[in-house]
Amino acid sequence: MDLETFRALLTEEGQALLAALQDTDAAQEPVVTADLRRTHRAALVEAAQEQVRLRRQAAEKFGGRAQRLYFTPESLELSSHLAVSEYKLDRVLDEIGVVMVDAMGLGGSVDAHVLGWSHMTSAVDGDRLTVEIAEANRLGMDQPMLDLTCADITEFDSQGEAVFIDLMRRPGPGRRPDDDPEYGPESYDPPLSWALERLHTTGAGWIRLAPGLPAEALPGLGAAHEAEWISYGGYIQEAVLWFGVDAEWTPRPDPVRKATVLPAGASLTGRGLPHPAVRAAGRYLYVPDPAVVHARLLPELAQDLGAGPLEGGGTLLTSDELRPTPFATAYEITGVPPLTATTATPAPDGS
């Protein structure tokens, strides 16, 4: 969707198309769309169709709010579950305690809007369409205290007490996977090195990153106070580098690692444990939450469960004792057929 088409969606004609398609049963949509094409521009009808489709997909992340918001396929993909943004807002309120925040790089723009519920937030992004979509979404996100600017992020005159930089958006017209050797943190716009320097200068804030960023791409985790991997409903959402969450910023050679699972709201913090020895299958099998795996906290989880890595089982853990945990799904092993995968059934408590 280009900028001109998006602006057309905000007109009376565009709103009428959205309303007509949003209230149409999926089985009747081809007929209704064919009728609409007779009296409206095909490009505008297609844009309204896409918007309705994206809103239906977005309901999984945003609930009823999704029907009042605007998306592009990329912005929806870049958005974590709304509960993740709310969780981070609670951390900002409780641990950073600032009033004014600069949001640089909007990504899916949800974080900036949620910040605007309680903070005076100045948001900047270099993409005009992204900025105008965020402006249109202001009402759907309860009119946050959000001031939006379209400008070069690296030239933005920052005035905030804390800085939030979203680096989830992948660069270039051809989006490449994180494991592409030619694709790395310096190909972001802005580059990760610039974002780290900006946070080191401000002393408080956070950087949002793709959760699968290789460790070698971020030596020392950027000397942040804390690196946190967040999941929701068993699916990894994002990684966050936090600065200034427990004291005035000072470089840390060994930042704290944390895995947080939502909606449980539980966090597992690294304790610098060595990797435990593998063991044969016990009575119970644990499948760790992806946040734990990405944060490399399997040793901590294994110690808490009295478990060890299953021999030949990758990230799976096993033990003879069942210990309920929000950080893994437990199964009772009912049989180990020779030369086949382990057979397992859910543990009695359903964890």
Side-chain angles (χ1 to χ4, degrees):
M1 178 172 60
D2 58 27
L3 182 58
E4 181 181 354
T5 302
F6 173 67
R7 287 173 174 171
L9 277 179
L10 301 181
T11 65
E12 185 176 343
E13 178 187 14
Q15 293 297 296
L17 285 171
L18 285 171
L21 289 168
Q22 206 153 285
D23 295 336
T24 299
D25 182 83
Q28 295 299 315
E29 188 171 314
V31 176
V32 173
T33 300
D35 288 341
L36 292 173
R37 285 175 179 271
R38 295 190 183 97
T39 53
H40 301 277
R41 290 169 291 161
L44 186 56
V45 174
E46 290 174 4
Q49 274 186 293
E50 180 185 57
Q51 200 57 225
V52 169
R53 176 179 58 81
L54 291 172
R55 285 176 171 180
R56 288 170 179 164
Q57 293 175 3
E60 185 176 347
K61 292 182 176 181
F62 304 109
R65 291 181 186 273
Q67 299 307 310
R68 307 195 301 273
L69 301 177
Y70 295 89
F71 304 94
T72 65
E74 183 186 35
S75 72
L76 180 55
E77 180 184 351
L78 292 176
S79 297
S80 295
H81 194 282
L82 181 60
V84 177
S85 296
E86 294 172 332
Y87 163 77
K88 288 184 293 185
L89 175 61
D90 288 341
R91 289 206 65 180
V92 174
L93 290 168
D94 295 341
E95 301 173 55
I96 297 181
V98 295
V99 175
M100 298 176 63
V101 178
D102 290 330
M104 298 182 173
L106 290 173
S109 82
V110 178
D111 278 343
H113 281 97
V114 171
L115 278 171
W117 288 346
S118 59
H119 292 73
M120 296 299 300
T121 304
S122 297
V124 59
D125 195 284
D127 181 68
R128 172 61 64 180
L129 177 59
T130 297
V131 171
E132 293 200 15
I133 288 177
E135 182 66 44
N137 285 343
R138 188 194 303 272
L139 183 61
M141 294 298 289
D142 295 335
Q143 297 180 304
M145 296 178 286
L146 181 65
D147 179 52
L148 290 153
T149 301
C150 183
D152 183 342
I153 295 172
T154 62
E155 299 296 327
F156 183 64
D157 184 16
S158 176
Q159 301 295 321
E161 301 165 276
V163 175
F164 159 53
I165 302 177
D166 190 324
L167 291 185
M168 286 283 278
R169 184 183 295 152
R170 296 174 182 174
R175 297 174 57 195
R176 294 170 290 177
D178 291 339
D179 58 0
D180 187 325
E182 297 183 3
Y183 174 78
E186 292 309 292
S187 62
Y188 282 106
D189 184 18
L192 176 57
S193 60
W194 179 90
L196 289 170
E197 182 179 355
R198 185 70 186 79
L199 264 297
H200 293 171
T201 301
T202 303
W206 61 109
I207 299 174
R208 180 175 181 249
L209 295 165
L213 192 68
E216 58 271 19
L218 191 59
L221 295 173
H225 273 142
E226 178 184 296
E228 181 177 27
W229 284 261
I230 307 173
S231 68
Y232 183 89
Y235 293 93
I236 192 67
Q237 302 284 302
E238 59 190 55
V240 183
L241 297 181
W242 291 97
F243 298 79
V245 291
D246 60 2
E248 185 175 347
W249 185 83
T250 53
R252 291 200 174 176
D254 190 20
V256 173
R257 285 178 173 268
K258 179 183 286 186
T260 295
V261 297
L262 300 173
S267 294
L268 180 66
T269 300
R271 303 190 290 273
L273 300 179
H275 202 77
V278 299
R279 55 161 292 177
R283 182 177 177 183
Y284 297 99
L285 182 72
Y286 293 92
V287 180
D289 186 273
V292 175
V293 176
H294 279 79
R296 301 184 180 183
L297 297 181
L298 287 176
E300 283 76 5
L301 180 59
Q303 184 181 76
D304 293 347
L305 295 175
L310 176 66
E311 186 174 10
T315 62
L316 299 177
L317 302 176
T318 186
S319 72
D320 296 315
E321 178 186 355
L322 177 63
R323 297 184 187 178
T325 175
F327 303 112
T329 301
Y331 297 88
E332 184 175 14
I333 298 175
T334 57
V336 185
L339 303 180
T340 65
T342 298
T343 303
T345 59
D349 68 346
S351 61

